[in-house]
Amino acid sequence: QVYRLGGIAKLVELLRSQNQNVQRAAAGALRNLVFKNPTNKIETRRQNGIRECVSLLRRTGNTEIQKQLTGLLWNLSSTDELKEELIQEALPVLTDCVIIPFSGWSDGSCNRTREIIDPEVFFNATGCLRNLSSADMGRQTMRNYPGLIDSVMTYTQNCVASSRPDDKSVENCICILHNLSYRLDAEVPNKYTQLNHMARSVYMDKTLTGCFNSRSGKMENDEYGVPLPEEDFKPKGPSWLYHSDAIRTYLSLMDQSKKDATLEACAGALQNLTASRGLMSNAMSQLIGLKEKGLPRIARLLQSNSSEVVRSGASLLSNMSRHPVLHKTMAHQVLPDVSRLLSFQSGNTSSYGEIMTSACYTLRNLIMSNPHLGKSYLSSNLLNNVVSLCRSGSCPKAAEAARLLLTDLWSNRELQSVLKQQGFDKNMMGSLAGTTFRTLSSRF
């Protein structure tokens, strides 16, 4: 009704009032009107509401007005149509006037003190940036905005150091860092970019001179432990996102936090860092699994009651299991948990297919690297579930992964004997695996 009567335009106009009570009431009314109401959000933008809101936030020192304005921006930021304008208009004021001064980070040029900003204002601001960081344009712009990543990371690390892992703004901060880590190796030039180019050059030189044998049909960076490049002593901006201090922060939160969204975001950030096929994935996996000894903490995620937490943990382990340098350590530390996942997981969650796909690939990589150790985990429950996955029409990716797992298990003489003890024979394997799935092994 307010929308139909033209009230949104009048409320936007009242943001320019000289009376602080009127400013606060108008901002609060707009905040309520746009809550879960896309029509009112678009109308607020059409009436120049974003610009007026940002203008008032930049000049006001009134905490109550700041709360309403940042809450309004947070509500607006959940609509994709508004994200581009919010990134252009709201990101600078939220970062400069809220995020940086409250976070405790300083590069020596910030004049505002932390006490000026109320924790709820910071919470709202990080909530808005959490939404904006999920947009492609927002991700790129936010990575490059001076002081933003530094401040979000500093605040998170301060909370971890002071045993406040579930401070309500930590979840927003970790989700921002998770989003900004997406496609990092492809979108942000870094030291691994240069190493990848060097490795490709060496590969091409050797291929041209015939030094590679017939098995080396592609560049096998993942077969070797990649020496970790020397890190920046004081990381800045995007370099924070793949720094060992950040990885330690994620792993510490995975130890301390009780919030599923925080755990999922921590695992998701590490999943992003290990997702590529290049040297960065190899190095990040070594850093997480070997140097920082993070595998037990990741494995515990597989026991969560939250399917999204399990999904993120399983995907991260699948990424890491592609690197032979980690196989021995992973086999001892995560095979029991991954095996339990495949033995007992029920298919009643939206993430079931993804979880099973990741578990099959992890199990395949680790068991095939150490068949003698792996065969003790091939219980009848696990194998029956893998067979069910093969026959599943509702989870085609999981079915594909399960077929590849069974085919590779059967191809190993030591493991084949275990399958035969469980009632498998050549005809059964042929019907389950088919003839097309052997060619998939080069893809994973």
Side-chain angles (χ1 to χ4, degrees), residues 256-270:
Q256 299 175 27
S257 179
K258 301 293 191 294
K259 295 178 74 171
D260 288 338
T262 299
L263 296 174
E264 181 192 348
C266 287
L270 297 177

Side-chain angles (χ1 to χ4, degrees), residues 162-426:
S162 58
S163 300
R164 293 184 292 123
D166 293 326
D167 170 283
K168 65 180 183 178
S169 292
V170 166
E171 178 187 323
N172 286 341
C173 288
I174 288 296
C175 287
I176 291 169
L177 295 169
H178 173 201
N179 288 337
L180 298 187
S181 299
Y182 181 67
R183 290 181 53 83
L184 186 67
D185 60 319
E187 296 177 355
V188 178
N190 56 60
K191 61 189 71 180
Y192 296 101
T193 309
Q194 185 178 6
L195 287 173
N196 275 328
H197 288 318
M198 291 169 59
R200 287 191 181 93
S201 297
V202 170
Y203 163 71
M204 290 302 295
D205 289 346
K206 288 185 177 180
T207 304
L208 291 172
T209 56
C211 292
F212 274 32
N213 62 32
S214 59
R215 180 176 174 271
S216 300
K218 60 187 179 70
M219 184 175 65
E220 294 283 0
N221 293 328
D222 289 349
E223 290 193 3
Y224 311 102
V226 177
L228 300 180
E230 188 174 337
E231 290 192 307
D232 299 329
F233 178 66
K234 289 186 176 180
K236 191 172 183 180
S239 64
W240 261 118
L241 296 172
Y242 55 91
H243 197 273
S244 60
D245 285 350
I247 288 173
R248 276 193 291 275
T249 300
Y250 299 145
L251 292 173
S252 295
L253 276 173
M254 286 161 61
D255 251 350
Q256 299 175 27
S257 179
K258 301 293 191 294
K259 295 178 74 171
D260 288 338
T262 299
L263 296 174
E264 181 192 348
C266 287
L270 297 177
Q271 181 190 344
N272 285 340
L273 294 177
T274 58
S276 74
R277 288 290 173 181
L279 297 173
M280 185 175 190
S281 172
N282 188 311
M284 293 296 102
S285 295
Q286 286 188 71
L287 197 55
I288 296 164
L290 302 180
K291 187 177 178 184
E292 300 300 336
K293 298 179 171 40
L295 288 169
R297 281 171 274 192
I298 301 167
R300 281 199 297 272
L301 299 182
L302 304 187
Q303 302 168 25
S304 171
N305 292 323
S306 164
S307 62
E308 292 303 312
V309 172
V310 176
R311 179 188 59 76
S312 290
S315 296
L316 171 56
L317 290 176
S318 178
N319 287 350
M320 295 174 68
S321 74
R322 294 176 310 183
H323 305 292
V325 68
L326 277 85
H327 281 173
K328 184 177 180 180
T329 303
M330 289 189 74
H332 288 285
Q333 296 189 22
V334 306
L335 255 182
D337 295 278
V338 176
S339 301
R340 277 195 292 270
L341 200 59
L342 270 171
S343 298
F344 303 114
Q345 178 77 15
S346 59
N348 58 356
T349 69
S350 59
S351 304
Y352 173 74
E354 288 183 69
I355 292 170
M356 291 295 97
T357 301
S358 296
C360 284
Y361 288 141
T362 302
L363 199 71
R364 174 215 172 213
N365 290 336
L366 299 184
I367 287 183
M368 297 313 295
S369 73
N370 191 337
H372 184 71
L373 174 67
K375 67 181 182 180
S376 62
Y377 294 101
L378 298 180
S379 67
S380 58
N381 275 349
L382 184 149
L383 290 171
N384 286 336
N385 281 356
V386 173
V387 169
S388 296
L389 283 173
C390 284
R391 294 170 172 159
S392 171
S394 58
C395 303
K397 289 185 178 179
E400 188 175 277
R403 290 181 184 114
L404 179 62
L405 170 60
L406 279 180
T407 304
D408 279 7
L409 294 178
W410 186 261
S411 70
N412 180 278
R413 190 167 296 178
E414 186 174 4
L415 298 174
Q416 187 180 110
S417 64
V418 178
L419 293 180
K420 286 180 176 178
Q421 290 170 12
Q422 300 286 351
F424 289 79
D425 58 32
K426 189 173 182 179

Side-chain angles (χ1 to χ4, degrees), residues 37-97:
N37 190 313
T39 301
N40 284 351
K41 291 179 183 181
I42 300 299
E43 178 67 6
T44 298
R45 190 265 299 271
R46 197 174 73 83
Q47 297 297 336
N48 212 24
I50 292 176
R51 187 159 293 178
E52 292 296 340
C53 173
V54 168
S55 175
L56 178 55
L57 181 59
R58 190 178 292 278
R59 66 181 187 269
T60 188
N62 184 296
T63 294
E64 294 306 313
I65 296 173
Q66 290 173 343
K67 288 178 184 178
Q68 299 304 328
L69 292 171
T70 51
L72 168 58
L73 290 171
W74 189 357
N75 286 346
L76 291 171
S77 68
S78 62
T79 296
D80 288 342
E81 290 175 70
L82 305 184
K83 286 182 178 178
E84 184 173 348
E85 183 172 344
L86 285 165
I87 291 161
Q88 293 173 349
E89 300 286 344
L91 174 62
V93 69
L94 289 174
T95 303
D96 295 341
C97 299

